[in-house]
Amino acid sequence: MSTLASKVRPRGYVVTRQTLGTILGIASGILFLPIEIKVGVVLRPFDFFLGFVLLLSPFFLLKKSLLRDFFSRSYIQIYVLLCLYLTLNAVVLNPSATTKEALQQFEFFIFTFLMVGVFVQPQARRAFFRAYFYTTFALVIYTTVWHIAHGYVVMYKALDELKILYGLLATFLFVRFALDRKYLLLFLFAALLMVMSLERKGWFAFILTAGPILLILYRSFRYRQRVLRIVSRVAIGVSLLGFILVSGSVAQSDEVLEQFNDTAILFTDFSLEKKDAEEIGSQSNAGRLYLMLISLNAIRENPIFGIGTDRFRQEITLISARMGDEKTAGAHNEYQRLAVENGLPALFVYLLMLWLAYRSIRRIPPALVKQDGSVLDYTLVVAFFIYGGVVNFFLGGGATNKFFLTLPLGMVGGMVIYYQQRYGHKLKINRPV
């Protein structure tokens, strides 16, 4: 195939597309490292890795065919327009945020394109998954050991964004276990760490991803006996974990149960008017409800263009001061933040983009995926896509949200282009315009 680097690489050129996939996999894991360098803008290890990939990649990726296929995707076209609009919105309504927004949008646009360039080749996408897994696993182990060494048997949140990796790792290993039972113990270990981290966004994202993945394996790939065995084993594992926690056999298990209780209260006693922690279970619950109430008021006042890109925290601070309240915080929901800062039309376009991308990957015939030996790759891509969409419901603003959008967007784009190139005569998925 023309997309395979091995067939176009000149003699002596040692950098392969698999190498680029490996570097991008490492970069995707270390994005969450709480290391920053401020030089006018904030730089992270992720930014340096991405720059390194850019230095290596032009030979493989700057091709007319790949550029044409990339920009022909409807969801990519919408993504480009959305990036431009969010930057323009900052220029008009919040000029001080223009440079930061423009640089971040450009960086993650490049990241999306690089992901597409890697995922058009099976070997490269597998190199990405392999590097991503080892990087994420190492960071999760480091984070856990660090917390336990500092007296935190549960609640692994002191290292800030690294807490997000627990749900991602559990989801990754769940997909591996679903297709290969030798990963059962690794998955159970990751699931236990995810629960003990007390990071609820990871719990929700994992559960709301695992269900659709099992459904896809059951209905699309006909792995019915396998799925039924997985459900029974997971049910046994959950029951055992619940028994251990309830019986108090794990140190500080009362904190885990309290977190489950707070979550139950949030859903069973939901009210936007309840802003006190005593009424709604915890300060975290109260803060989220408070932000939602203020966000609805802000959307009513500025439904079309919003209050301006990157103004959410500033606006919340002003309103809180006027109300004599101290619950000031940034957005805890990307969709909520987008509606407040950029208006309901921007939110609609964002959701439309996600829908078109998901529809595109799901229109690849499962029979072709099995024939191609890419069930694992395909399932992981769908899992990352769903996980990103769910976890962004609990995170608002910044590089993390852009990552959870652009990572699966690039994965989807690359896989769709690959299948269209190889099986174009059999497919009708989002053909180039």
mmCIF file with all atom_site columns, all heavy atoms in Angstrom, residues 142-159 252:
data_model
loop_
_atom_site.group_PDB
_atom_site.id
_atom_site.type_symbol
_atom_site.label_atom_id
_atom_site.label_alt_id
_atom_site.label_comp_id
_atom_site.label_asym_id
_atom_site.label_entity_id
_atom_site.label_seq_id
_atom_site.pdbx_PDB_ins_code
_atom_site.Cartn_x
_atom_site.Cartn_y
_atom_site.Cartn_z
_atom_site.occupancy
_atom_site.B_iso_or_equiv
_atom_site.pdbx_formal_charge
_atom_site.auth_seq_id
_atom_site.auth_comp_id
_atom_site.auth_asym_id
_atom_site.auth_atom_id
_atom_site.pdbx_PDB_model_num
ATOM 1   N N   . TYR A 1 142 ? 3.685   4.726  39.667 1.00 0.00 ? 142 TYR A N   1
ATOM 2   C CA  . TYR A 1 142 ? 4.432   5.781  40.361 1.00 0.00 ? 142 TYR A CA  1
ATOM 3   C C   . TYR A 1 142 ? 3.503   6.610  41.244 1.00 0.00 ? 142 TYR A C   1
ATOM 4   O O   . TYR A 1 142 ? 3.815   6.887  42.408 1.00 0.00 ? 142 TYR A O   1
ATOM 5   C CB  . TYR A 1 142 ? 5.127   6.686  39.353 1.00 0.00 ? 142 TYR A CB  1
ATOM 6   C CG  . TYR A 1 142 ? 5.585   8.003  39.952 1.00 0.00 ? 142 TYR A CG  1
ATOM 7   C CD1 . TYR A 1 142 ? 6.712   8.065  40.767 1.00 0.00 ? 142 TYR A CD1 1
ATOM 8   C CD2 . TYR A 1 142 ? 4.871   9.177  39.720 1.00 0.00 ? 142 TYR A CD2 1
ATOM 9   C CE1 . TYR A 1 142 ? 7.118   9.257  41.335 1.00 0.00 ? 142 TYR A CE1 1
ATOM 10  C CE2 . TYR A 1 142 ? 5.261   10.374 40.283 1.00 0.00 ? 142 TYR A CE2 1
ATOM 11  C CZ  . TYR A 1 142 ? 6.390   10.415 41.097 1.00 0.00 ? 142 TYR A CZ  1
ATOM 12  O OH  . TYR A 1 142 ? 6.777   11.595 41.669 1.00 0.00 ? 142 TYR A OH  1
ATOM 13  N N   . THR A 1 143 ? 2.357   7.008  40.698 1.00 0.00 ? 143 THR A N   1
ATOM 14  C CA  . THR A 1 143 ? 1.404   7.833  41.450 1.00 0.00 ? 143 THR A CA  1
ATOM 15  C C   . THR A 1 143 ? 0.894   7.098  42.680 1.00 0.00 ? 143 THR A C   1
ATOM 16  O O   . THR A 1 143 ? 0.792   7.674  43.781 1.00 0.00 ? 143 THR A O   1
ATOM 17  C CB  . THR A 1 143 ? 0.217   8.227  40.550 1.00 0.00 ? 143 THR A CB  1
ATOM 18  O OG1 . THR A 1 143 ? 0.709   8.845  39.363 1.00 0.00 ? 143 THR A OG1 1
ATOM 19  C CG2 . THR A 1 143 ? -0.723  9.185  41.268 1.00 0.00 ? 143 THR A CG2 1
ATOM 20  N N   . THR A 1 144 ? 0.568   5.824  42.512 1.00 0.00 ? 144 THR A N   1
ATOM 21  C CA  . THR A 1 144 ? 0.065   5.026  43.638 1.00 0.00 ? 144 THR A CA  1
ATOM 22  C C   . THR A 1 144 ? 1.123   4.879  44.730 1.00 0.00 ? 144 THR A C   1
ATOM 23  O O   . THR A 1 144 ? 0.845   5.088  45.919 1.00 0.00 ? 144 THR A O   1
ATOM 24  C CB  . THR A 1 144 ? -0.375  3.638  43.148 1.00 0.00 ? 144 THR A CB  1
ATOM 25  O OG1 . THR A 1 144 ? -1.341  3.788  42.090 1.00 0.00 ? 144 THR A OG1 1
ATOM 26  C CG2 . THR A 1 144 ? -0.991  2.828  44.278 1.00 0.00 ? 144 THR A CG2 1
ATOM 27  N N   . VAL A 1 145 ? 2.331   4.516  44.327 1.00 0.00 ? 145 VAL A N   1
ATOM 28  C CA  . VAL A 1 145 ? 3.420   4.338  45.296 1.00 0.00 ? 145 VAL A CA  1
ATOM 29  C C   . VAL A 1 145 ? 3.712   5.641  46.023 1.00 0.00 ? 145 VAL A C   1
ATOM 30  O O   . VAL A 1 145 ? 3.924   5.667  47.242 1.00 0.00 ? 145 VAL A O   1
ATOM 31  C CB  . VAL A 1 145 ? 4.689   3.809  44.592 1.00 0.00 ? 145 VAL A CB  1
ATOM 32  C CG1 . VAL A 1 145 ? 5.885   3.820  45.541 1.00 0.00 ? 145 VAL A CG1 1
ATOM 33  C CG2 . VAL A 1 145 ? 4.453   2.397  44.057 1.00 0.00 ? 145 VAL A CG2 1
ATOM 34  N N   . TRP A 1 146 ? 3.705   6.749  45.290 1.00 0.00 ? 146 TRP A N   1
ATOM 35  C CA  . TRP A 1 146 ? 3.966   8.064  45.902 1.00 0.00 ? 146 TRP A CA  1
ATOM 36  C C   . TRP A 1 146 ? 2.928   8.375  46.974 1.00 0.00 ? 146 TRP A C   1
ATOM 37  O O   . TRP A 1 146 ? 3.265   8.824  48.070 1.00 0.00 ? 146 TRP A O   1
ATOM 38  C CB  . TRP A 1 146 ? 3.947   9.145  44.827 1.00 0.00 ? 146 TRP A CB  1
ATOM 39  C CG  . TRP A 1 146 ? 4.335   10.511 45.329 1.00 0.00 ? 146 TRP A CG  1
ATOM 40  C CD1 . TRP A 1 146 ? 5.579   11.068 45.292 1.00 0.00 ? 146 TRP A CD1 1
ATOM 41  C CD2 . TRP A 1 146 ? 3.469   11.473 45.951 1.00 0.00 ? 146 TRP A CD2 1
ATOM 42  N NE1 . TRP A 1 146 ? 5.545   12.325 45.854 1.00 0.00 ? 146 TRP A NE1 1
ATOM 43  C CE2 . TRP A 1 146 ? 4.269   12.599 46.261 1.00 0.00 ? 146 TRP A CE2 1
ATOM 44  C CE3 . TRP A 1 146 ? 2.119   11.499 46.261 1.00 0.00 ? 146 TRP A CE3 1
ATOM 45  C CZ2 . TRP A 1 146 ? 3.750   13.743 46.879 1.00 0.00 ? 146 TRP A CZ2 1
ATOM 46  C CZ3 . TRP A 1 146 ? 1.590   12.634 46.885 1.00 0.00 ? 146 TRP A CZ3 1
ATOM 47  C CH2 . TRP A 1 146 ? 2.391   13.734 47.184 1.00 0.00 ? 146 TRP A CH2 1
ATOM 48  N N   . HIS A 1 147 ? 1.649   8.127  46.673 1.00 0.00 ? 147 HIS A N   1
ATOM 49  C CA  . HIS A 1 147 ? 0.587   8.429  47.635 1.00 0.00 ? 147 HIS A CA  1
ATOM 50  C C   . HIS A 1 147 ? 0.673   7.529  48.868 1.00 0.00 ? 147 HIS A C   1
ATOM 51  O O   . HIS A 1 147 ? 0.541   7.999  49.998 1.00 0.00 ? 147 HIS A O   1
ATOM 52  C CB  . HIS A 1 147 ? -0.787  8.289  46.971 1.00 0.00 ? 147 HIS A CB  1
ATOM 53  C CG  . HIS A 1 147 ? -1.179  9.483  46.162 1.00 0.00 ? 147 HIS A CG  1
ATOM 54  N ND1 . HIS A 1 147 ? -0.768  9.668  44.872 1.00 0.00 ? 147 HIS A ND1 1
ATOM 55  C CD2 . HIS A 1 147 ? -1.941  10.562 46.476 1.00 0.00 ? 147 HIS A CD2 1
ATOM 56  C CE1 . HIS A 1 147 ? -1.266  10.801 44.403 1.00 0.00 ? 147 HIS A CE1 1
ATOM 57  N NE2 . HIS A 1 147 ? -1.971  11.368 45.359 1.00 0.00 ? 147 HIS A NE2 1
ATOM 58  N N   . ILE A 1 148 ? 0.884   6.243  48.645 1.00 0.00 ? 148 ILE A N   1
ATOM 59  C CA  . ILE A 1 148 ? 0.972   5.317  49.781 1.00 0.00 ? 148 ILE A CA  1
ATOM 60  C C   . ILE A 1 148 ? 2.171   5.670  50.663 1.00 0.00 ? 148 ILE A C   1
ATOM 61  O O   . ILE A 1 148 ? 2.092   5.636  51.896 1.00 0.00 ? 148 ILE A O   1
ATOM 62  C CB  . ILE A 1 148 ? 1.060   3.863  49.280 1.00 0.00 ? 148 ILE A CB  1
ATOM 63  C CG1 . ILE A 1 148 ? -0.272  3.469  48.610 1.00 0.00 ? 148 ILE A CG1 1
ATOM 64  C CG2 . ILE A 1 148 ? 1.364   2.906  50.426 1.00 0.00 ? 148 ILE A CG2 1
ATOM 65  C CD1 . ILE A 1 148 ? -0.274  2.089  47.986 1.00 0.00 ? 148 ILE A CD1 1
ATOM 66  N N   . ALA A 1 149 ? 3.281   6.039  50.027 1.00 0.00 ? 149 ALA A N   1
ATOM 67  C CA  . ALA A 1 149 ? 4.470   6.429  50.789 1.00 0.00 ? 149 ALA A CA  1
ATOM 68  C C   . ALA A 1 149 ? 4.225   7.682  51.624 1.00 0.00 ? 149 ALA A C   1
ATOM 69  O O   . ALA A 1 149 ? 4.884   7.889  52.653 1.00 0.00 ? 149 ALA A O   1
ATOM 70  C CB  . ALA A 1 149 ? 5.643   6.656  49.843 1.00 0.00 ? 149 ALA A CB  1
ATOM 71  N N   . HIS A 1 150 ? 3.276   8.514  51.189 1.00 0.00 ? 150 HIS A N   1
ATOM 72  C CA  . HIS A 1 150 ? 2.945   9.728  51.926 1.00 0.00 ? 150 HIS A CA  1
ATOM 73  C C   . HIS A 1 150 ? 1.703   9.559  52.797 1.00 0.00 ? 150 HIS A C   1
ATOM 74  O O   . HIS A 1 150 ? 1.113   10.549 53.251 1.00 0.00 ? 150 HIS A O   1
ATOM 75  C CB  . HIS A 1 150 ? 2.753   10.895 50.960 1.00 0.00 ? 150 HIS A CB  1
ATOM 76  C CG  . HIS A 1 150 ? 4.030   11.414 50.368 1.00 0.00 ? 150 HIS A CG  1
ATOM 77  N ND1 . HIS A 1 150 ? 4.696   10.750 49.356 1.00 0.00 ? 150 HIS A ND1 1
ATOM 78  C CD2 . HIS A 1 150 ? 4.782   12.510 50.659 1.00 0.00 ? 150 HIS A CD2 1
ATOM 79  C CE1 . HIS A 1 150 ? 5.793   11.434 49.039 1.00 0.00 ? 150 HIS A CE1 1
ATOM 80  N NE2 . HIS A 1 150 ? 5.877   12.496 49.811 1.00 0.00 ? 150 HIS A NE2 1
ATOM 81  N N   . GLY A 1 151 ? 1.288   8.313  53.021 1.00 0.00 ? 151 GLY A N   1
ATOM 82  C CA  . GLY A 1 151 ? 0.203   8.044  53.954 1.00 0.00 ? 151 GLY A CA  1
ATOM 83  C C   . GLY A 1 151 ? -1.189  7.996  53.364 1.00 0.00 ? 151 GLY A C   1
ATOM 84  O O   . GLY A 1 151 ? -2.170  7.890  54.101 1.00 0.00 ? 151 GLY A O   1
ATOM 85  N N   . TYR A 1 152 ? -1.323  8.056  52.026 1.00 0.00 ? 152 TYR A N   1
ATOM 86  C CA  . TYR A 1 152 ? -2.633  8.004  51.390 1.00 0.00 ? 152 TYR A CA  1
ATOM 87  C C   . TYR A 1 152 ? -2.877  6.580  50.870 1.00 0.00 ? 152 TYR A C   1
ATOM 88  O O   . TYR A 1 152 ? -2.436  6.222  49.773 1.00 0.00 ? 152 TYR A O   1
ATOM 89  C CB  . TYR A 1 152 ? -2.722  8.973  50.214 1.00 0.00 ? 152 TYR A CB  1
ATOM 90  C CG  . TYR A 1 152 ? -2.511  10.419 50.583 1.00 0.00 ? 152 TYR A CG  1
ATOM 91  C CD1 . TYR A 1 152 ? -1.260  11.012 50.465 1.00 0.00 ? 152 TYR A CD1 1
ATOM 92  C CD2 . TYR A 1 152 ? -3.572  11.199 51.031 1.00 0.00 ? 152 TYR A CD2 1
ATOM 93  C CE1 . TYR A 1 152 ? -1.057  12.339 50.788 1.00 0.00 ? 152 TYR A CE1 1
ATOM 94  C CE2 . TYR A 1 152 ? -3.376  12.538 51.351 1.00 0.00 ? 152 TYR A CE2 1
ATOM 95  C CZ  . TYR A 1 152 ? -2.120  13.096 51.229 1.00 0.00 ? 152 TYR A CZ  1
ATOM 96  O OH  . TYR A 1 152 ? -1.925  14.415 51.551 1.00 0.00 ? 152 TYR A OH  1
ATOM 97  N N   . VAL A 1 153 ? -3.587  5.773  51.642 1.00 0.00 ? 153 VAL A N   1
ATOM 98  C CA  . VAL A 1 153 ? -3.899  4.420  51.185 1.00 0.00 ? 153 VAL A CA  1
ATOM 99  C C   . VAL A 1 153 ? -4.947  4.483  50.079 1.00 0.00 ? 153 VAL A C   1
ATOM 100 O O   . VAL A 1 153 ? -4.950  3.667  49.147 1.00 0.00 ? 153 VAL A O   1
ATOM 101 C CB  . VAL A 1 153 ? -4.401  3.547  52.351 1.00 0.00 ? 153 VAL A CB  1
ATOM 102 C CG1 . VAL A 1 153 ? -4.758  2.151  51.869 1.00 0.00 ? 153 VAL A CG1 1
ATOM 103 C CG2 . VAL A 1 153 ? -3.341  3.485  53.443 1.00 0.00 ? 153 VAL A CG2 1
ATOM 104 N N   . VAL A 1 154 ? -5.843  5.455  50.167 1.00 0.00 ? 154 VAL A N   1
ATOM 105 C CA  . VAL A 1 154 ? -6.808  5.716  49.098 1.00 0.00 ? 154 VAL A CA  1
ATOM 106 C C   . VAL A 1 154 ? -6.724  7.202  48.757 1.00 0.00 ? 154 VAL A C   1
ATOM 107 O O   . VAL A 1 154 ? -5.999  7.955  49.386 1.00 0.00 ? 154 VAL A O   1
ATOM 108 C CB  . VAL A 1 154 ? -8.248  5.350  49.533 1.00 0.00 ? 154 VAL A CB  1
ATOM 109 C CG1 . VAL A 1 154 ? -8.355  3.887  49.897 1.00 0.00 ? 154 VAL A CG1 1
ATOM 110 C CG2 . VAL A 1 154 ? -8.712  6.229  50.688 1.00 0.00 ? 154 VAL A CG2 1
ATOM 111 N N   . MET A 1 155 ? -7.494  7.610  47.736 1.00 0.00 ? 155 MET A N   1
ATOM 112 C CA  . MET A 1 155 ? -7.582  9.007  47.291 1.00 0.00 ? 155 MET A CA  1
ATOM 113 C C   . MET A 1 155 ? -6.240  9.500  46.741 1.00 0.00 ? 155 MET A C   1
ATOM 114 O O   . MET A 1 155 ? -5.496  10.227 47.384 1.00 0.00 ? 155 MET A O   1
ATOM 115 C CB  . MET A 1 155 ? -8.060  9.935  48.410 1.00 0.00 ? 155 MET A CB  1
ATOM 116 C CG  . MET A 1 155 ? -8.504  11.308 47.895 1.00 0.00 ? 155 MET A CG  1
ATOM 117 S SD  . MET A 1 155 ? -9.367  12.289 49.136 1.00 0.00 ? 155 MET A SD  1
ATOM 118 C CE  . MET A 1 155 ? -8.001  12.650 50.257 1.00 0.00 ? 155 MET A CE  1
ATOM 119 N N   . TYR A 1 156 ? -5.953  9.090  45.501 1.00 0.00 ? 156 TYR A N   1
ATOM 120 C CA  . TYR A 1 156 ? -4.676  9.417  44.862 1.00 0.00 ? 156 TYR A CA  1
ATOM 121 C C   . TYR A 1 156 ? -4.818  10.689 44.016 1.00 0.00 ? 156 TYR A C   1
ATOM 122 O O   . TYR A 1 156 ? -4.789  10.642 42.781 1.00 0.00 ? 156 TYR A O   1
ATOM 123 C CB  . TYR A 1 156 ? -4.208  8.253  43.990 1.00 0.00 ? 156 TYR A CB  1
ATOM 124 C CG  . TYR A 1 156 ? -4.263  6.908  44.677 1.00 0.00 ? 156 TYR A CG  1
ATOM 125 C CD1 . TYR A 1 156 ? -4.718  5.773  44.002 1.00 0.00 ? 156 TYR A CD1 1
ATOM 126 C CD2 . TYR A 1 156 ? -3.862  6.769  46.002 1.00 0.00 ? 156 TYR A CD2 1
ATOM 127 C CE1 . TYR A 1 156 ? -4.753  4.539  44.628 1.00 0.00 ? 156 TYR A CE1 1
ATOM 128 C CE2 . TYR A 1 156 ? -3.903  5.539  46.641 1.00 0.00 ? 156 TYR A CE2 1
ATOM 129 C CZ  . TYR A 1 156 ? -4.354  4.428  45.952 1.00 0.00 ? 156 TYR A CZ  1
ATOM 130 O OH  . TYR A 1 156 ? -4.402  3.210  46.581 1.00 0.00 ? 156 TYR A OH  1
ATOM 131 N N   . LYS A 1 157 ? -4.974  11.831 44.683 1.00 0.00 ? 157 LYS A N   1
ATOM 132 C CA  . LYS A 1 157 ? -5.273  13.068 43.961 1.00 0.00 ? 157 LYS A CA  1
ATOM 133 C C   . LYS A 1 157 ? -4.241  14.164 44.161 1.00 0.00 ? 157 LYS A C   1
ATOM 134 O O   . LYS A 1 157 ? -4.350  15.232 43.569 1.00 0.00 ? 157 LYS A O   1
ATOM 135 C CB  . LYS A 1 157 ? -6.646  13.599 44.382 1.00 0.00 ? 157 LYS A CB  1
ATOM 136 C CG  . LYS A 1 157 ? -7.794  12.651 44.108 1.00 0.00 ? 157 LYS A CG  1
ATOM 137 C CD  . LYS A 1 157 ? -9.134  13.295 44.404 1.00 0.00 ? 157 LYS A CD  1
ATOM 138 C CE  . LYS A 1 157 ? -10.287 12.365 44.090 1.00 0.00 ? 157 LYS A CE  1
ATOM 139 N NZ  . LYS A 1 157 ? -11.604 13.029 44.249 1.00 0.00 ? 157 LYS A NZ  1
ATOM 140 N N   . ALA A 1 158 ? -3.256  13.929 45.009 1.00 0.00 ? 158 ALA A N   1
ATOM 141 C CA  . ALA A 1 158 ? -2.316  14.997 45.351 1.00 0.00 ? 158 ALA A CA  1
ATOM 142 C C   . ALA A 1 158 ? -1.444  15.413 44.173 1.00 0.00 ? 158 ALA A C   1
ATOM 143 O O   . ALA A 1 158 ? -0.954  16.538 44.138 1.00 0.00 ? 158 ALA A O   1
ATOM 144 C CB  . ALA A 1 158 ? -1.440  14.571 46.527 1.00 0.00 ? 158 ALA A CB  1
ATOM 145 N N   . LEU A 1 159 ? -1.235  14.512 43.213 1.00 0.00 ? 159 LEU A N   1
ATOM 146 C CA  . LEU A 1 159 ? -0.406  14.835 42.053 1.00 0.00 ? 159 LEU A CA  1
ATOM 147 C C   . LEU A 1 159 ? -1.244  15.355 40.883 1.00 0.00 ? 159 LEU A C   1
ATOM 148 O O   . LEU A 1 159 ? -0.882  15.195 39.713 1.00 0.00 ? 159 LEU A O   1
ATOM 149 C CB  . LEU A 1 159 ? 0.411   13.607 41.629 1.00 0.00 ? 159 LEU A CB  1
ATOM 150 C CG  . LEU A 1 159 ? 1.432   13.129 42.663 1.00 0.00 ? 159 LEU A CG  1
ATOM 151 C CD1 . LEU A 1 159 ? 2.226   11.937 42.139 1.00 0.00 ? 159 LEU A CD1 1
ATOM 152 C CD2 . LEU A 1 159 ? 2.381   14.244 43.065 1.00 0.00 ? 159 LEU A CD2 1
ATOM 153 N N   . GLN A 1 252 ? -8.824  2.335  55.357 1.00 0.00 ? 252 GLN A N   1
ATOM 154 C CA  . GLN A 1 252 ? -9.506  3.545  54.892 1.00 0.00 ? 252 GLN A CA  1
ATOM 155 C C   . GLN A 1 252 ? -10.617 3.237  53.890 1.00 0.00 ? 252 GLN A C   1
ATOM 156 O O   . GLN A 1 252 ? -10.992 4.086  53.092 1.00 0.00 ? 252 GLN A O   1
ATOM 157 C CB  . GLN A 1 252 ? -8.508  4.527  54.267 1.00 0.00 ? 252 GLN A CB  1
ATOM 158 C CG  . GLN A 1 252 ? -7.444  5.014  55.242 1.00 0.00 ? 252 GLN A CG  1
ATOM 159 C CD  . GLN A 1 252 ? -6.484  5.994  54.612 1.00 0.00 ? 252 GLN A CD  1
ATOM 160 O OE1 . GLN A 1 252 ? -6.732  6.551  53.551 1.00 0.00 ? 252 GLN A OE1 1
ATOM 161 N NE2 . GLN A 1 252 ? -5.357  6.206  55.270 1.00 0.00 ? 252 GLN A NE2 1
#
